[in-house]
Amino acid sequence: MSEQRFDISELEEGQGLRLSLQQGDSDVAAFAVRFDGKVQVYENRCPHLGVELDWAPGEFIDDELQKIICSTHGALFEPSSGFCVAGPCAGQVLNAIEFVVQDTTLIIKSDD
């Protein structure tokens, strides 16, 4: 088992951070967001068409700073659960990625 570490010291409330994860021989696009003081990590893939969510690198949050938004069709996701509350994939969920936070370091473990 290996682990990847990311500095999240500058990940502020209502912001996203684009991540590139190594999982086996593949690169997986992911992102971390901070809402209500808590960090969540999801695969950067909309359940509707499989496209990446951000419209610019690390830009995942709607204008009201309340939801994760898909730049392609405007689907809105709850930051705490990844549950889609509006848009073409309503009722579906973003793929959550397991992680641990130690101080300002995000740690993601993967089976290699």
Side-chain angles (χ1 to χ4, degrees):
M1 181 171 286
S2 65
E3 63 181 37
Q4 297 167 80
R5 294 174 172 257
F6 302 91
D7 179 9
I8 57 170
S9 60
E10 295 185 20
L11 181 62
E12 296 181 17
E13 185 71 19
Q15 286 188 332
L17 174 66
R18 187 175 174 85
L19 306 171
S20 180
L21 305 178
Q22 277 295 125
Q23 297 200 345
D25 293 335
S26 301
D27 288 331
V28 174
F31 65 97
V33 291
R34 185 184 303 270
F35 278 92
D36 296 329
K38 296 179 183 173
V39 174
Q40 297 294 334
V41 181
Y42 298 104
E43 187 176 339
N44 189 1
R45 184 177 175 277
C46 181
H48 176 224
L49 292 177
V51 297
E52 293 186 1
L53 297 165
D54 46 344
W55 61 87
E59 300 292 329
F60 299 96
I61 312 304
D62 69 343
D63 290 339
E64 291 79 33
L65 302 177
Q66 298 296 312
K67 304 278 189 259
I68 298 167
I69 187 169
C70 176
S71 65
T72 302
H73 292 110
L76 296 173
F77 302 87
E78 290 292 341
S80 62
S81 64
F83 183 78
C84 184
V85 295
C89 54
Q92 296 183 39
V93 182
L94 296 173
N95 283 336
I97 295 174
E98 291 186 39
F99 66 96
V100 174
V101 174
Q102 290 180 349
D103 297 318
T104 60
T105 302
L106 175 72
I107 303 168
I108 298 175
K109 296 181 179 182
S110 61
D111 297 326
D112 286 344

